[in-house]
Amino acid sequence: MIRMDNSIRVGSQQGQADSPQFRPIPSNGICTRLGDKWTVHVLWRLSLANECRLRFSTLKKELDGVTQRMLTLTLRNLERDGLVTRHYFPEVPPRVEYELTQMGAGVLRALEGLNYWVRENLPAIEEHRRIFDEAKQ
């Protein structure tokens, strides 16, 4: 069991990747946000935007399977957390564009380590899943 350490402060050296002991920050909703179905997909797609901004309709078209409602909620939550900026243009029809903030780009850099870990360990994970599934049959 991992002990939660409530004494970690923003900007402190505690909890850094090079720390000998992992000390997760108490639940604050950010991990839940990053773990939902669409957040990382939206952040990743915005990071690939050549013009730095993408229209809502472009995001919806490029994120296969996302509903308009889920994309709206995801973008609203990312904007609330400061990871995405919304740009509204009062034209006819109205135009809305989204772009990553510096903090949003930082989240993607932080997720790179997890992505590398997945790549390195995916064959072993798949093998464990196969063995587990076969044993349950």
Side-chain angles (χ1 to χ4, degrees), residues 14-52:
Q14 283 184 305
Q16 295 291 328
D18 58 349
S19 176
Q21 181 181 1
F22 176 68
R23 297 179 186 168
I25 296 173
S27 178
N28 53 23
I30 299 300
C31 289
T32 302
R33 172 100 55 247
L34 294 174
D36 76 21
K37 185 172 182 177
W38 295 108
T39 295
V40 173
H41 292 287
V42 169
L43 292 172
W44 174 75
R45 184 59 197 99
L46 286 171
S47 76
L48 298 176
N50 291 332
E51 303 292 320
C52 295

Side-chain angles (χ1 to χ4, degrees), residues 5 16 18-19 21 32 49 52 65 68 70 90 92 104 107 111 115 121 131 135-136:
D5 185 348
Q16 295 291 328
D18 58 349
S19 176
Q21 181 181 1
T32 302
C52 295
Q68 183 166 333
M70 282 311 302
V92 178
V107 167
L111 290 172
N115 194 46
N121 291 286
I131 292 168
K136 294 294 178 184

Side-chain angles (χ1 to χ4, degrees), residues 7-16 18 25:
S7 66
I8 296 175
R9 289 178 292 284
V10 174
S12 74
Q13 293 299 314
Q14 283 184 305
Q16 295 291 328
D18 58 349
I25 296 173

Side-chain angles (χ1 to χ4, degrees), residues 1 4 12-13 17 20 27-28 35 43 45 47 52 55 59-60 63-64 69 87-89 92 97 104-105 116 128:
M1 180 169 162
M4 299 299 282
S12 74
Q13 293 299 314
S27 178
N28 53 23
L43 292 172
R45 184 59 197 99
S47 76
C52 295
R55 293 182 73 166
L59 277 168
K60 183 163 180 341
L63 294 172
D64 189 36
R69 174 171 160 63
H87 300 277
Y88 175 77
F89 301 92
V92 178
E97 297 177 346
Y116 290 130
H128 284 280

Side-chain angles (χ1 to χ4, degrees), residues 56-113:
F56 181 92
S57 59
T58 303
L59 277 168
K60 183 163 180 341
K61 182 176 72 176
E62 294 182 2
L63 294 172
D64 189 36
V66 69
T67 64
Q68 183 166 333
R69 174 171 160 63
M70 282 311 302
L71 182 56
T72 298
L73 290 172
T74 300
L75 288 165
R76 188 174 295 150
N77 286 327
L78 290 171
E79 182 182 7
R80 180 175 180 252
D81 289 340
L83 303 176
V84 166
T85 300
R86 179 180 187 262
H87 300 277
Y88 175 77
F89 301 92
E91 303 168 347
V92 178
R95 180 169 49 110
V96 179
E97 297 177 346
Y98 295 89
E99 72 178 320
L100 285 180
T101 63
Q102 186 175 356
M103 192 166 43
V107 167
L108 287 172
R109 284 192 299 277
L111 290 172
E112 281 178 336

